[in-house]
Amino acid sequence: MLLRTTFQACNATIGDNNQCSSKRFFNSNSVSIGCRKSFISSSSSSSSAGRVGLVRAVATNETKSKQVAYEPSLADRLRLGSMSEDRMSYKEKFIVRCYEVGINKTATVETIANLLQEVGCNHAQMVGFSTDGFATTHTMRKLHLIWVTARLYIEIYKYPAWSDVVEIETWCQSEGRIGTRRDWILKDCATGEVIGRATSKWLMMNQDTRRLQKVTDEVRDELLIYFPKELRLAFPEENNGSLKKIAKLDDPAEYSKLGLVPRRADLDMNQHVNNVTYIGWVLESMPQEIIDTHELQTITLDYRRECQQDDVVDSLTSVEPIEDAAALEIQGANGSATAPKDVNKSFLHLLRLSSDGLEINRCRTEWRKKPARI
């Protein structure tokens, strides 16, 4: 992740084949979703054991692409992942382990986030980007540039259970002149049903000056050969949830969990708290009655400041105010700010430093009633 002073600099600068039947602070890209790997992260693969001499395209200063022979590692050969036929996306299968499920015997949202991170990292290594945790191209390493994540949005329709097999497809593309994006689609491998989607936004930062900068033409040329030729979005719908801005949470909040301290296991290879830990902290201040009766449907995280081992964090949560009182009156809520019982519940969240109240992460979650147990 980045130093706290880094985020202040950021603010000053910006003023975002196997198939089945700105004015904000940003998280470091040392991780695919946050702090373990990154944008087009590390790790890789082809599931074909006999596939050797894999050729990767690696851009250099003199030529836009240079072919380099690559011998798949044992992990590459055992991993259940491969590039698509047009090499514009990467797919990998994962078995949900017993230690990845929660009290409902289904995968937790932290598990989902970790799997998104892993497949992103493996995609990055597959196409030949660095495996040092920063997923950088040749030019980026030469210029000391890294990726930082600005936003993550996850939407889950059905949580996989213990021993279910999930296939995740991921790809990257441009996001204006100052960033890129990575999208994911999750499927139940047994049925082919789409059980979730996700998207993230990334910006480029100079590792030495800690200032954001535009993606240069040279770097973009290195990336473009791995981007879909036509715009492809995990959320193509107009006004979809991934575009919704997160309102500032008013203080005092309705619910809070104060004094959260990073564990050693929460730190990534760069000694900063990884993004999946942030998700857990957000959920710590959720009211227990919601946890007992509902499951998380969507989560949006805006990263504003990094967190280090010695930081103490407060997690704040409040019910999101209902904007359309007239619509609620029609549904029988008499125009009050409380939604009817059968309407999904939305919450606003804030992670802040206990010492000075500075924002670490701003979050929004939406919850639905738990399905009946079979």
Side-chain angles (χ1 to χ4, degrees):
M1 292 238 240
L2 308 173
L3 298 175
R4 196 162 301 125
T5 52
T6 299
F7 293 97
Q8 295 167 352
C10 294
N11 291 342
T13 303
I14 289 290
D16 186 348
N17 59 31
N18 302 335
Q19 295 183 348
C20 298
S21 180
S22 92
K23 289 186 179 180
R24 64 176 69 188
F25 179 76
F26 305 93
N27 235 5
S28 144
N29 84 309
S30 94
V31 292
S32 170
I33 285 187
C35 296
R36 282 186 190 158
K37 295 166 188 172
S38 90
F39 154 59
I40 313 184
S41 308
S42 59
S43 206
S44 131
S45 84
S46 168
S47 58
S48 294
R51 189 175 180 184
V52 295
L54 176 64
V55 175
R56 293 180 175 183
V58 180
T60 69
N61 231 2
E62 296 74 26
T63 62
K64 287 189 177 179
S65 63
K66 176 183 178 181
Q67 299 299 318
V68 180
Y70 171 71
E71 182 77 15
S73 67
L74 177 60
D76 293 331
R77 296 194 295 271
L78 293 178
R79 193 174 286 121
L80 299 176
S82 62
M83 298 293 291
S84 61
E85 289 187 8
D86 61 6
R87 302 190 66 80
M88 294 295 105
S89 70
Y90 173 81
K91 294 181 181 181
E92 187 169 347
K93 298 174 186 173
F94 299 92
I95 301 171
V96 178
R97 312 293 183 177
C98 66
Y99 53 82
E100 295 175 323
V101 303
I103 57 176
N104 298 320
K105 298 182 180 179
T106 56
T108 64
V109 66
E110 291 98 325
T111 293
I112 299 297
N114 276 321
L115 292 180
L116 298 180
Q117 176 174 278
E118 178 69 10
V119 73
C121 293
N122 294 346
H123 179 207
Q125 185 172 330
M126 185 66 173
V127 301
F129 293 147
S130 74
T131 59
D132 60 0
F134 291 101
T136 50
T137 68
H138 174 81
T139 299
M140 289 178 68
R141 292 191 294 277
K142 182 183 67 175
L143 299 177
H144 296 186
L145 300 173
I146 59 174
W147 295 108
V148 292
T149 179
R151 167 172 275 219
L152 171 67
Y153 176 79
I154 304 174
E155 194 167 286
I156 305 170
Y157 313 123
K158 178 184 177 183
Y159 283 87
W162 177 21
S163 296
D164 282 354
V165 181
V166 178
E167 182 182 71
I168 304 178
E169 181 182 12
T170 187
W171 64 95
C172 300
Q173 54 204 340
S174 296
E175 181 77 6
R177 289 295 300 171
I178 64 171
T180 55
R181 64 181 290 151
R182 176 178 285 280
D183 286 19
W184 297 266
I185 291 179
L186 298 81
K187 292 184 178 181
D188 183 322
C189 209
T191 65
E193 175 188 6
V194 174
I195 59 173
R197 296 181 291 173
T199 187
S200 58
K201 295 183 179 180
W202 301 81
L203 301 177
M204 184 175 288
M205 174 175 284
N206 185 293
Q207 193 171 7
D208 300 325
T209 65
R210 300 304 198 185
R211 296 180 70 85
L212 297 176
Q213 69 175 63
K214 292 182 178 180
V215 179
T216 66
D217 290 338
E218 191 173 12
V219 171
R220 193 173 298 278
D221 286 344
E222 291 175 310
L223 299 172
L224 280 176
I225 58 177
Y226 304 112
F227 289 174
K229 304 307 178 187
E230 296 182 3
L231 183 65
R232 182 188 178 192
L233 304 176
F235 298 94
E237 304 90 343
E238 187 176 356
N239 298 323
N240 65 79
S242 71
L243 304 175
K244 185 177 179 66
K245 292 184 177 181
I246 304 176
K248 183 174 177 58
L249 177 62
D250 292 329
D251 197 13
E254 296 177 60
Y255 310 95
S256 63
K257 184 74 170 182
L258 307 181
L260 297 168
V261 178
R263 303 171 305 157
R264 291 173 182 168
D266 294 328
L267 304 181
D268 66 10
M269 67 182 74
N270 297 304
Q271 301 299 306
H272 297 92
V273 175
N274 71 71
N275 291 354
V276 178
T277 297
Y278 290 172
I279 295 176
W281 283 345
V282 163
L283 301 182
E284 278 297 304
S285 57
M286 279 295 299
Q288 188 61 45
E289 59 268 24
I290 298 297
I291 298 295
D292 291 340
T293 59
H294 289 67
E295 64 180 12
L296 185 65
Q297 177 171 300
T298 71
I299 182 168
T300 313
L301 299 114
D302 280 347
Y303 297 100
R304 295 168 178 269
R305 189 174 305 274
E306 61 89 38
C307 182
Q308 298 177 322
Q309 183 175 10
D310 296 331
D311 288 328
V312 180
V313 177
D314 294 337
S315 175
L316 308 179
T317 292
S318 289
V319 176
E320 183 177 33
I322 302 299
E323 296 179 357
D324 193 347
L328 285 178
E329 187 172 4
I330 294 175
Q331 297 178 44
N334 298 321
S336 68
T338 303
K341 292 183 178 180
D342 59 342
V343 173
N344 290 358
K345 298 181 181 294
S346 300
F347 293 83
L348 297 177
H349 310 269
L350 175 67
L351 296 180
R352 69 182 183 190
L353 294 175
S354 297
S355 58
D356 51 23
L358 292 176
E359 281 186 294
I360 299 172
N361 191 290
R362 191 178 292 190
C363 177
R364 180 181 182 272
T365 59
E366 187 173 356
W367 301 73
R368 60 174 173 250
K369 278 283 192 179
K370 287 183 180 179
R373 284 185 135 181
I374 299 176

